[in-house]
Amino acid sequence: MDGATAAQRHLEQFGARFLHDFVTLLQIPNVTGQLPDLRVNATEIARRFEDRGAKMEVVELEGSSPVVLGELRCERPTATIGVYVHYDGQPVDPENWTYQPFSATLLSDAIHNGGESLSLPGDGEAIDPIWRIYARGASDDKTPLAVIPAALDALVAAGIDRTVDLIFLFEGEEESGSPNLERYMTELAPRLEADAWLLCDGPVHQTRRPQVSFGARGYSGFELTMYGPERELHSGHYGNWVPNPAFELARFLAGCKDDSDRVTIEGFYDDTVPVSEADRAAIDALPPVEDALRRELGFGGSEVEGSTYPDRLMLPSFNVRGIRSAEIGEGARNVIPSRATASVDMRLAAGDDPDRMVDRVDSHLSAAGYTVLDRDPTPDERRSHRRLARLDRLPGYRAARIPMDSPLSWTLLDVCGRASGEEVVALPTFGGSIPLYLFEDILGSPVAILPIANHDNNQHAPDENIRVANLWYGVALWATLLTTDFSPVPAGGTQGSTLR
Amino acid sequence: MDGATAAQRHLEQFGARFLHDFVTLLQIPNVTGQLPDLRVNATEIARRFEDRGAKMEVVELEGSSPVVLGELRCERPTATIGVYVHYDGQPVDPENWTYQPFSATLLSDAIHNGGESLSLPGDGEAIDPIWRIYARGASDDKTPLAVIPAALDALVAAGIDRTVDLIFLFEGEEESGSPNLERYMTELAPRLEADAWLLCDGPVHQTRRPQVSFGARGYSGFELTMYGPERELHSGHYGNWVPNPAFELARFLAGCKDDSDRVTIEGFYDDTVPVSEADRAAIDALPPVEDALRRELGFGGSEVEGSTYPDRLMLPSFNVRGIRSAEIGEGARNVIPSRATASVDMRLAAGDDPDRMVDRVDSHLSAAGYTVLDRDPTPDERRSHRRLARLDRLPGYRAARIPMDSPLSWTLLDVCGRASGEEVVALPTFGGSIPLYLFEDILGSPVAILPIANHDNNQHAPDENIRVANLWYGVALWATLLTTDFSPVPAGGTQGSTLR
């Protein structure tokens, strides 16, 4: 029996127990930065892997959320594979969720398809693969923490030996920008040696076909605040004499792109590695998804007319993730606001440097006549400068990619194909940001991304969810991977692994 | 004894009681739109004027906040003066207030001067004119509702006869844009006949000198929403492919003004009555306030370099009073927002039409490629339009002004001078918006504005307040006005009263 079959038989018998165990894991709140909650998650996760024979340890460096570290060896390993997962989730605003984010509710289908809440099935009851579980962390990124233990159980039940040694590194502050991952990796490096690392994050392809990503975008970003009068002023008495910071912020942001949505910040695209011929071929082989996505996500046209989705991922982005000044709607008042803030994230392509990207924004502000501070101005500074801006840098990191034509890449594509019985999508770069570069720089390992979640999982937004079919795929994927012969993959991974 | 002296003697003896009565009036919450609270205000205000011998009535048309209507006659009137006040206040966000907005706290000085909370004085205890009372409505616009009864008490105590008949109209939804004032006036017109109406709103001059305003800006505005994907999307997976509504909103707003802050919306300035020679002379006679205001309000330079404050009031304004999309700061998430909204108020100069101003914004949106709706788009509309905007009109009205060289104008300037002993500032137009046009159109009366509050009163913002010195001026002003011979003022007011 192969791993995928073992997974299938196990879920036929114990699928209900699997869902129950996953729901209880999701019910532990995991908002990034909420240390007491995150500690509870770490302990519970370690316990679940220990129950499957792994040696686990919760390690907490001062001033950080703990990592869960572990290893699970086998008798005749063909490779050592590191598994990185993050167990923290994005902040939640429960008012915007249909079901409470930490109640972990099972639904008969997606909410947008009219799905309704269900009781969890009992042992042996039928489970429909279109069901979904709604919870923060359901897809980003507690999924692997449920499917790997289930895959281990399935192999034990089927009496199949594993062929891979596993190293675990589960992080608790990825959604805060992984500010301490480098410290953890450096400190724990001797215990993190592996031939390759796999990151289990993000969604499979929009066609619902399985996917392997050979890189991920980097991350950079900033919060930008502009200042008006020291306190809000009556817009009748002072409107169009006292400068309005909401307008000035809008003007600055608007000036960061031209009419065809190309970023005009000087040097913004200068460091980006051009798309290679191999990338070009991979991109051209991707199934077209634009029209289907547009219908599904509900918008009328792409940012840049005629551009394809995978092509846009090869360039750095400039995304206003939030903007705020005074109030709108019922709470709106007739004032000149005192300040206005925009929060911007920039997804980086290979070659882009996170600090340099914000440096360029800083220069763009200076060129527009702003005095740039890293704190709120003093009253005196407000009085003596017509244009004052505060620029707060968000923690970031560079993009990383591995070549698509290597033994590791071929093996991973093969694993996903056997686990799913479907044609696998090979993506040059994943759209989301994951600190892959640390695995390359500190651990000297190649990294690839094996996603499990459905693409319509509302990751980072209200109503995050995962489809049962994707959970089942995840169990099959790991049962297959753990019984695969990795010996063609050279120790320490593939050569020439990083494409900066 | 003259009115001002009577007021002074009365306050020396009963100032503490006055403060107590004012505080209890301010402690009745008066957020605009909160009908149950507003009714309590109306009843209490009527009672206070009835106690001084006025005939009062609370009139409530269906679907509106009540008006308080009244009259107070005297034996030998030289004129009938109408008094318009609004008793509702702007919304409050208590978290942003230093003291709770409806606790009505007495402070030893302004908060920004280090003022500290005081107990109310007892009868006969010394009262410092630099004290302030902090509360929503303290200056905008419950002040006249406290000082007129006190002026009446002062005249009775001094045994001085009044020379003016008074008509009262106290509105309860001015801060919602006075949507029913026209209905009330039309219905109640026979009971609102007066030779002139006085509006008691807004601040005195920034030099703290008394002021008469011979007009006010009109009001128009809108809320503008732009749409991104139907739900928030992960900015890594979709950033710079799916359009970002926060950015598009910023771009549209930025495009509404040129680099020298002149509004570029076609026709925006076309209807504005040019500054006349009389206006020019009045403006040139105004004390310069720009540098002092800049220091006091804490900003580094005016919106348009080199422009004077009163000159800017002669033009329509375009003020972003609030903007919002997704979240900033600790709650920020890495998303492409689903929508972005800006709330904009436009202060109108003489000649501008409130509807036509929003029509021009609508045309500007269309010219920028937007399909403009007056509601949220349907999912199908979102899919079939690259640029969709929702435009909600705020209720508005035109500006109105009376000539500065008429018997009424001269008399009012004289009253303020005698009440204060200071040189009075004559302002061609008040910066705030007040529906003066209704008094002209429906009641056929000229209108002028006699403000009482200090300019640094944080009107419409958190920490609204009034100085005790200004309250004292208000009592003197009304005691003087009520004992002034208005016979040079022609019945029905001054000729050629409106300058459209």
Side-chain angles (χ1 to χ4, degrees):
Chain A
M1 200 192 316
D2 65 6
T5 309
Q8 189 186 335
R9 298 222 175 138
H10 179 70
L11 291 168
E12 279 163 10
Q13 196 173 356
F14 296 110
R17 191 174 301 175
F18 173 87
L19 293 182
H20 171 84
D21 288 350
F22 190 34
V23 160
T24 58
L25 182 62
L26 294 172
Q27 286 170 340
I28 308 171
N30 72 336
V31 169
T32 194
Q34 302 296 314
L35 192 51
D37 288 343
L38 293 171
R39 286 188 180 127
V40 177
N41 278 279
T43 308
E44 171 63 16
I45 293 160
R47 190 193 61 74
R48 290 180 178 215
F49 281 79
E50 277 164 358
D51 286 350
R52 274 79 184 184
K55 284 169 58 185
M56 305 300 289
E57 187 182 348
V58 176
V59 181
E60 182 173 327
L61 296 183
E62 204 189 322
S64 76
S65 175
V67 299
V68 182
L69 185 72
E71 60 176 273
L72 179 63
R73 305 284 171 185
C74 65
E75 272 190 34
R76 275 176 296 276
T78 61
T80 301
I81 300 285
V83 183
Y84 165 93
V85 176
H86 70 88
Y87 64 84
D88 62 323
Q90 285 269 320
V92 293
D93 180 356
E95 280 184 25
N96 295 329
W97 286 65
T98 311
Y99 299 90
Q100 287 305 293
F102 298 112
S103 68
T105 308
L106 180 68
L107 266 72
S108 59
D109 199 339
I111 289 172
H112 62 264
N113 291 336
E116 289 179 358
S117 130
L118 298 175
S119 300
L120 285 176
D123 280 345
E125 286 182 22
I127 293 173
D128 190 329
I130 72 164
W131 289 355
R132 296 192 187 208
I133 294 172
Y134 279 76
R136 175 59 84 223
S139 58
D140 181 20
D141 183 27
K142 283 182 170 175
T143 321
L145 304 174
V147 302
I148 296 173
L152 293 168
D153 292 346
L155 296 178
V156 169
I160 311 178
D161 288 339
R162 283 180 284 108
T163 57
V164 174
D165 275 355
L166 292 176
I167 301 285
F168 302 117
L169 178 65
F170 305 149
E171 191 196 354
E173 48 195 14
E174 195 269 350
E175 299 295 5
S176 296
S178 300
N180 297 291
L181 185 57
E182 185 168 354
R183 273 170 75 203
Y184 275 115
M185 278 197 180
T186 306
E187 191 130 327
L188 304 172
R191 300 166 68 182
L192 298 174
E193 278 176 20
D195 299 312
W197 276 84
L198 298 180
L199 277 75
C200 306
D201 200 346
V204 299
H205 195 256
Q206 290 84 357
T207 54
R208 304 210 186 281
R209 279 164 51 189
Q211 177 170 290
V212 182
S213 301
F214 296 93
R217 296 212 267 189
Y219 186 90
S220 184
F222 57 89
E223 288 218 347
L224 173 62
T225 299
M226 291 188 176
Y227 299 87
E230 201 170 338
R231 54 187 184 278
E232 290 180 348
L233 295 181
H234 186 291
S235 62
H237 298 312
Y238 299 109
N240 70 345
W241 181 59
V242 175
N244 181 308
F247 182 81
E248 307 237 331
L249 180 65
R251 176 147 60 191
F252 179 79
L253 291 174
C256 290
K257 292 188 181 182
D258 66 17
D259 288 346
S260 43
D261 281 277
R262 192 172 167 83
V263 176
T264 53
I265 296 167
E266 198 179 331
F268 192 80
Y269 299 106
D270 283 3
D271 299 331
T272 306
V273 172
V275 174
S276 71
E277 284 188 28
D279 296 335
R280 183 78 267 151
I283 290 171
D284 291 345
L286 291 171
V289 292
E290 285 77 4
D291 285 347
L293 272 181
R294 204 175 44 68
R295 279 193 301 275
E296 181 178 320
L297 306 178
F299 63 99
S302 55
E303 189 175 281
V304 176
E305 192 95 29
S307 62
T308 71
Y309 173 40
D311 271 313
R312 294 296 289 170
L313 298 185
M314 305 301 280
L315 290 172
S317 73
F318 183 95
N319 177 64
V320 181
R321 61 182 194 155
I323 187 167
R324 176 111 191 221
S325 182
E327 302 292 337
I328 59 158
E330 301 235 324
R333 286 159 291 116
N334 289 317
V335 293
I336 301 168
S338 176
R339 56 195 292 154
T341 299
S343 194
V344 173
D345 68 286
M346 299 186 285
R347 301 300 171 145
L348 307 185
D352 302 333
D353 180 83
D355 284 329
R356 206 151 54 224
M357 294 301 264
V358 186
D359 290 344
R360 286 170 176 143
V361 174
D362 196 332
S363 301
H364 203 65
L365 280 163
S366 300
Y370 283 89
T371 299
V372 184
L373 306 172
D374 59 1
R375 51 168 174 79
D376 278 341
T378 64
D380 276 352
E381 285 169 334
R382 290 179 101 136
R383 281 167 184 77
S384 53
H385 293 85
R386 167 68 178 82
R387 292 182 206 283
L388 269 179
R390 171 179 175 160
L391 186 66
D392 291 294
R393 288 163 188 256
L394 301 177
Y397 45 81
R398 67 170 174 83
R401 290 171 52 204
I402 62 169
M404 301 175 74
D405 48 353
S406 71
L408 174 62
S409 304
W410 299 326
T411 305
L412 292 175
L413 290 168
D414 177 60
V415 164
C416 295
R418 283 186 288 125
S420 62
E422 293 189 78
E423 199 182 341
V424 182
V425 175
L427 202 66
T429 185
F430 178 72
S433 302
I434 307 172
L436 302 187
Y437 80 98
L438 291 175
F439 296 86
E440 296 178 348
D441 288 2
I442 301 176
L443 307 182
S445 286
V447 202
I449 306 170
L450 261 68
I452 297 169
N454 39 297
H455 71 284
D456 53 351
N457 66 37
N458 296 342
Q459 200 179 350
H460 288 200
D463 291 342
E464 178 178 343
N465 68 86
I466 190 153
R467 290 168 77 232
V468 166
N470 290 70
L471 291 171
W472 273 208
Y473 163 65
V475 179
L477 172 66
W478 279 91
T480 304
L481 191 145
L482 291 173
T483 53
T484 291
D485 180 1
F486 272 80
S487 52
V489 177
T494 179
Q495 276 78 41
S497 68
T498 60
L499 182 74
R500 295 285 150 77
Chain B
M1 200 192 316
D2 65 6
T5 310
Q8 188 186 337
R9 296 219 178 141
H10 179 71
L11 289 168
E12 279 164 10
Q13 197 173 356
F14 297 111
R17 191 174 304 175
F18 172 87
L19 292 181
H20 171 86
D21 289 349
F22 189 35
V23 160
T24 59
L25 181 62
L26 294 172
Q27 285 169 340
I28 310 172
N30 72 336
V31 169
T32 194
Q34 302 296 314
L35 193 51
D37 287 344
L38 293 171
R39 286 187 180 126
V40 177
N41 278 279
T43 308
E44 171 65 14
I45 293 161
R47 189 192 62 72
R48 291 181 178 214
F49 281 79
E50 277 164 358
D51 287 350
R52 273 80 183 184
K55 284 168 58 185
M56 304 300 290
E57 187 183 349
V58 176
V59 181
E60 183 173 326
L61 295 182
E62 204 189 320
S64 76
S65 174
V67 299
V68 182
L69 186 72
E71 60 176 272
L72 179 63
R73 305 286 173 184
C74 66
E75 271 189 36
R76 273 177 298 276
T78 62
T80 302
I81 300 286
V83 183
Y84 165 93
V85 176
H86 70 88
Y87 63 84
D88 62 322
Q90 286 269 321
V92 292
D93 180 355
E95 279 185 25
N96 295 329
W97 286 64
T98 311
Y99 299 90
Q100 288 305 294
F102 297 111
S103 69
T105 309
L106 179 68
L107 267 70
S108 59
D109 200 339
I111 290 172
H112 62 264
N113 290 337
E116 290 179 356
S117 131
L118 299 176
S119 300
L120 285 176
D123 281 344
E125 284 182 24
I127 294 173
D128 191 330
I130 72 162
W131 288 356
R132 298 193 185 206
I133 295 172
Y134 279 77
R136 176 59 86 222
S139 58
D140 182 21
D141 181 27
K142 284 183 170 173
T143 322
L145 304 174
V147 302
I148 296 174
L152 292 167
D153 292 347
L155 295 179
V156 168
I160 311 177
D161 289 338
R162 283 179 284 107
T163 57
V164 174
D165 275 355
L166 292 175
I167 301 287
F168 302 116
L169 178 65
F170 305 149
E171 191 196 356
E173 48 195 13
E174 196 265 352
E175 299 294 6
S176 296
S178 301
N180 296 291
L181 185 57
E182 185 168 355
R183 273 170 76 204
Y184 275 115
M185 277 196 181
T186 306
E187 191 130 326
L188 304 173
R191 300 165 68 182
L192 298 174
E193 278 176 20
D195 299 313
W197 276 84
L198 298 180
L199 277 74
C200 307
D201 200 347
V204 299
H205 195 257
Q206 290 84 356
T207 53
R208 304 207 187 280
R209 279 164 52 188
Q211 177 169 290
V212 181
S213 300
F214 296 94
R217 296 212 267 188
Y219 187 89
S220 184
F222 58 89
E223 288 219 345
L224 173 62
T225 300
M226 291 188 176
Y227 298 88
E230 201 170 338
R231 53 187 185 279
E232 290 179 349
L233 296 181
H234 187 292
S235 62
H237 298 313
Y238 300 109
N240 69 343
W241 180 59
V242 174
N244 182 307
F247 182 81
E248 306 238 331
L249 181 65
R251 176 146 61 189
F252 179 79
L253 290 173
C256 291
K257 293 189 181 180
D258 66 17
D259 287 347
S260 44
D261 281 276
R262 192 171 166 84
V263 176
T264 53
I265 296 168
E266 198 179 330
F268 191 81
Y269 299 105
D270 282 4
D271 300 331
T272 306
V273 171
V275 174
S276 71
E277 284 188 30
D279 296 336
R280 183 77 268 151
I283 290 170
D284 291 345
L286 292 171
V289 291
E290 285 77 4
D291 285 347
L293 272 182
R294 203 174 45 66
R295 278 192 301 274
E296 182 177 320
L297 306 178
F299 63 99
S302 55
E303 188 175 282
V304 178
E305 192 95 27
S307 63
T308 72
Y309 172 42
D311 272 314
R312 294 295 290 168
L313 297 185
M314 305 302 279
L315 289 172
S317 72
F318 183 95
N319 177 64
V320 181
R321 62 182 192 155
I323 188 167
R324 174 111 190 220
S325 184
E327 303 291 338
I328 59 158
E330 301 234 324
R333 287 158 291 118
N334 289 318
V335 294
I336 301 168
S338 177
R339 58 194 292 153
T341 299
S343 195
V344 174
D345 68 286
M346 299 185 286
R347 302 300 170 143
L348 307 184
D352 302 334
D353 179 82
D355 285 329
R356 206 150 57 224
M357 294 301 264
V358 186
D359 291 344
R360 287 170 174 143
V361 174
D362 196 332
S363 301
H364 203 65
L365 280 164
S366 300
Y370 283 89
T371 299
V372 184
L373 306 172
D374 60 359
R375 51 169 174 76
D376 278 340
T378 65
D380 276 352
E381 285 168 335
R382 290 179 99 134
R383 282 168 184 74
S384 54
H385 294 85
R386 167 70 177 80
R387 291 182 206 283
L388 269 178
R390 170 179 176 161
L391 186 66
D392 291 294
R393 286 164 189 258
L394 302 177
Y397 46 79
R398 66 172 175 81
R401 289 171 52 202
I402 62 170
M404 301 176 74
D405 49 353
S406 71
L408 174 61
S409 304
W410 299 326
T411 305
L412 292 175
L413 290 169
D414 177 60
V415 164
C416 295
R418 283 187 289 125
S420 63
E422 293 189 77
E423 199 182 341
V424 181
V425 175
L427 202 65
T429 185
F430 179 71
S433 301
I434 306 171
L436 301 186
Y437 80 99
L438 292 175
F439 296 86
E440 297 178 347
D441 289 2
I442 302 176
L443 306 182
S445 286
V447 203
I449 306 170
L450 262 69
I452 297 169
N454 40 298
H455 71 284
D456 54 351
N457 65 38
N458 296 342
Q459 201 179 349
H460 290 199
D463 292 342
E464 178 178 343
N465 67 86
I466 191 154
R467 290 167 77 231
V468 167
N470 289 71
L471 291 171
W472 273 207
Y473 164 66
V475 179
L477 172 65
W478 279 91
T480 304
L481 190 145
L482 291 172
T483 52
T484 291
D485 180 1
F486 272 81
S487 51
V489 177
T494 179
Q495 277 77 42
S497 69
T498 59
L499 181 73
R500 294 283 151 79

